[in-house]
Amino acid sequence: MADVSIRNNSRESRYEINVDEAVAGFADYMLTDGLITFTHTEIAAAHEGQGLGSQLVRFALDDVRATGERSVLPLCPFVKAWIARHPDYDDLLYGTRPR
């Protein structure tokens, strides 16, 4: 069984998912006051279809929720579609949260 870990690599402005200590995917973001904009998500071809993208996005959004400092603007089609399938994350979306 592979060892999967996820972290916020703030130096690179992205969340990363690692499989056996190697980066298997990432979700790039940009930060502004009160907003995190997800711009691109990518999973390595060798790891596609394993649910890693979903794990990565859930972790990232849970992290955003835990800090409570920012709303989410999902420009990335994958993040946008993931949120659409998980309406319990709608409260994080830009324009739905009180500032």
Side-chain angles (χ1 to χ4, degrees), residues 12-30:
E12 297 290 326
S13 297
R14 68 188 200 173
Y15 285 88
E16 297 173 342
I17 189 162
N18 297 297
V19 175
D20 295 330
E21 299 186 29
V23 176
F26 58 87
D28 287 331
Y29 62 79
M30 297 183 314

Side-chain angles (χ1 to χ4, degrees), residues 29-71:
Y29 62 79
M30 297 183 314
L31 296 178
T32 57
D33 289 340
L35 189 66
I36 182 168
T37 302
F38 286 96
T39 58
H40 179 72
T41 301
E42 187 171 317
I43 299 295
H47 297 288
E48 289 180 355
Q50 299 173 22
L52 297 177
S54 291
Q55 289 180 53
L56 176 61
V57 171
R58 181 180 302 274
F59 179 93
L61 295 176
D62 286 345
D63 190 51
V64 171
R65 178 173 277 147
T67 62
E69 298 173 358
R70 292 187 165 84
S71 295

Side-chain angles (χ1 to χ4, degrees), residues 7 25 31 41 79 97:
R7 73 184 187 112
L31 296 178
T41 301
V79 175
R97 294 182 67 155

